[in-house]
Amino acid sequence: MSTQNKLGLETQIIRTQVERTEFQEHSVPLYLTSSFIFEDAEDMRASFAEDKERNLYSRFSNPNTSEFVEKICIMEGAEDGFAFATGMAAVYGTLATLLNAGDHIVSVGSVFGSTHTLFTKYFPKWNIQTTYFDVNHPEEIESKIQENTKILYVESPTNPAVDILDLEYLGKIAKKHKLIFVVDNCFATPYLQNPIQFGADLVIHSATKLIDGQGRVLGGVTVGRSDLIREIYLFSRNTGPALSPFNAWVLSKSLENLPVRIEKHCENALKVAEFLENHPNVASVKYPFLKSHPQYEVAKRQMKLGGNIVAFEIKGGIEAGRQFLDKIKLCSLSANLGDTRSIVTHPASTTHSKLTEEERLAVSITDGLVRISVGLETVRDVIADLDQALNQV
Ligand SMILES: *Cc1c(COP(=O)(O)O)cnc(C)c1O
């Protein structure tokens, strides 16, 4: 690998790549191989004993995967990392490595759906309990910390309500109580927000979203403190959640244009948010870089731009939300996010319809909440689609 320090971020991401082979290829080849060969018995012994750093087997490491991880480390300011097959494999692999039976997690209540299922359905099987705090009351966190609390876990911005948590404040609490501070940074991407700077020990991404950015492949990654990554590596090397070399190759190439894509996503999202603020059928809009966002000042401090997710409250509740989805023509109705294509969802009637109203409100999902993942289409076309749908509700 050739990492070129002190160069600009974009240059570093674009110019970090696996060493060229004798063919002098310009673009990085795909190392689609499950294993690697050894010169002789001594080479093989030394490799397995980790006396030398090299690729042995693609469940452990692969050149394409290592390149992808190195780029994420550069962007996040992290010491080391490990890449996973999906974002959920990263969440599970990371936490399963760190937690022992009897340990306790303090987490923000509004976490990604499968993370919530992991915390409430599967971890309790191993006597690992989770206590949630309300995203709008982070001052409650300290009262939730117990003697056996090991991890402080958050997402910011949150899904789907786009609430913001003050990472610096959380970083200080984690340090004071000697907790491992883990941030799922998926919505912000490594381009907009770097939690390590605010005290995070580990940062997780679902690379499936904006890192791929084109809805093609699944992937995940965890980066951060090298001592913790070492443990995560050893756990993963033996349990098998590794990212495929093909997906790593796709994702590493995607990172080369992540900065320009994200700049445009954010520019479009801000325009969509401003349009919605002035629409008569919209009760309220939440976007981190709108002055009306309750945590606008915090968002400005910790994020470079506001991201591509806009949430708004449609007047008329659940029925209006459903009608709105039915009238949408250009945007996609899909549960994914962070695609070049704009996507709209209405959580109360779809992804979160099994929750009671009380449970939904606890994670800021009101009846009329609509989430838009703003894509890269010509933004006036996206706005026109939202406008015609809103006007028919
Ligand atoms: C999608 C997502 C995940 C899970 O990622 P997959 O790649 O789908 O497994 C985790 N956290 C957040 C915030 C997400 O949006």
Side-chain angles (χ1 to χ4, degrees):
M1 298 272 167
S2 55
T3 311
Q4 301 166 27
N5 278 327
K6 298 201 184 72
L7 294 169
L9 181 73
E10 289 82 356
T11 314
Q12 288 186 61
I13 303 164
I14 290 169
R15 294 285 170 180
T16 294
Q17 66 180 72
V18 181
E19 260 173 54
R20 289 211 166 90
T21 71
E22 66 199 79
F23 294 115
Q24 293 294 303
E25 67 282 349
H26 191 197
S27 180
V28 174
L30 174 52
Y31 290 91
L32 206 51
T33 179
S34 44
S35 63
F36 302 83
I37 56 168
F38 307 94
E39 291 294 319
D40 49 30
E42 173 52 23
D43 184 29
M44 198 162 181
R45 182 210 61 79
S47 301
F48 275 91
E50 293 192 73
D51 287 348
K52 52 165 97 166
E53 206 177 303
R54 52 155 295 166
N55 297 298
L56 311 178
Y57 190 60
S58 290
R59 168 150 45 82
F60 309 172
S61 70
N62 171 282
N64 293 122
T65 309
S66 302
E67 181 190 280
F68 168 65
V69 170
E70 189 175 346
K71 288 183 183 181
I72 297 283
C73 287
I74 290 169
M75 298 186 86
E76 287 286 9
E79 292 170 359
D80 204 356
F82 187 82
F84 294 86
T86 67
M88 279 321 299
V91 172
Y92 175 71
T94 300
L95 296 176
T97 300
L98 302 174
L99 292 162
N100 294 312
D103 283 344
H104 177 249
I105 303 167
V106 171
S107 167
V108 67
S110 33
V111 284
F112 183 69
S114 292
T115 305
H116 170 72
T117 305
L118 185 62
F119 288 172
T120 53
K121 184 169 175 194
Y122 295 106
F123 278 165
K125 292 206 304 181
W126 300 301
N127 192 25
I128 294 165
Q129 306 296 337
T130 300
T131 305
Y132 286 132
F133 67 89
D134 183 336
V135 66
N136 294 309
H137 293 284
E139 74 283 356
E140 289 174 358
I141 295 174
E142 288 196 276
S143 69
K144 316 248 175 193
I145 295 171
Q146 309 173 3
E147 204 137 288
N148 58 343
T149 306
K150 184 137 186 217
I151 285 177
L152 175 62
Y153 188 92
V154 303
E155 295 174 15
S156 180
T158 60
N159 180 28
V162 204
D163 291 313
I164 299 284
L165 282 163
D166 185 336
L167 296 178
E168 192 174 1
Y169 171 75
L170 298 175
K172 284 185 183 143
I173 291 179
K175 192 155 195 196
K176 180 172 155 200
H177 295 274
K178 299 195 169 58
L179 308 180
I180 301 172
F181 182 24
V182 182
V183 179
D184 179 337
N185 202 26
C186 173
F187 272 36
T189 79
Y191 182 63
L192 297 179
Q193 172 175 284
N194 299 132
I196 290 170
Q197 202 181 313
F198 304 108
D201 297 293
L202 293 169
V203 175
I204 297 175
H205 285 283
S206 163
T208 313
K209 312 294 168 55
L210 287 147
I211 289 177
D212 172 60
Q214 289 146 87
R216 301 166 299 184
V217 300
L218 295 160
V221 62
T222 300
V223 299
R225 261 169 55 189
S226 57
D227 58 327
L228 300 176
I229 294 294
R230 170 79 184 153
E231 295 303 315
I232 291 166
Y233 163 73
L234 291 173
F235 179 84
S236 304
R237 156 178 174 146
N238 290 293
T239 53
L243 180 64
S244 92
F246 177 77
N247 287 7
W249 177 79
V250 171
L251 293 169
S252 185
K253 293 307 268 180
S254 296
L255 285 176
E256 295 186 17
N257 54 40
L258 184 80
V260 286
R261 283 190 288 111
I262 299 298
E263 291 276 346
K264 189 68 180 171
H265 271 293
C266 295
E267 185 188 315
N268 287 357
L270 184 60
K271 284 184 184 152
V272 166
E274 285 168 350
F275 156 77
L276 290 168
E277 265 202 324
N278 294 311
H279 198 285
N281 290 349
V282 172
S284 62
V285 182
K286 259 222 221 117
Y287 181 69
F289 270 36
L290 277 186
K291 286 211 177 68
S292 57
H293 193 290
Q295 301 295 330
Y296 172 73
E297 293 300 330
V298 178
K300 279 267 175 181
R301 252 199 334 266
Q302 67 192 25
M303 295 174 76
K304 193 170 174 190
L305 292 165
N308 84 315
I309 309 291
V310 181
F312 73 92
E313 181 71 20
I314 194 165
K315 286 184 187 165
I318 297 216
E319 225 9 76
R322 286 173 51 87
Q323 283 170 15
F324 172 77
L325 287 192
D326 277 340
K327 299 296 178 195
I328 283 290
K329 288 181 183 152
L330 178 79
C331 298
S332 312
L333 311 187
S334 168
N336 193 28
L337 61 95
D339 198 300
T340 49
R341 300 170 175 87
S342 296
I343 295 166
V344 295
T345 54
H346 177 238
S349 71
T350 59
T351 45
H352 295 72
S353 64
K354 289 205 188 83
L355 304 188
T356 64
E357 188 175 3
E358 196 186 354
E359 286 170 328
R360 272 195 273 117
L361 291 180
V363 289
S364 315
I365 298 172
T366 45
D367 287 349
L369 182 83
V370 175
R371 185 191 77 186
I372 311 173
S373 165
V374 181
L376 298 179
E377 302 98 334
T378 312
V379 71
R380 72 176 141 77
D381 296 333
V382 176
I383 290 174
D385 189 34
L386 300 174
D387 192 33
Q388 63 82 25
L390 278 168
N391 292 337
Q392 293 182 71
V393 170

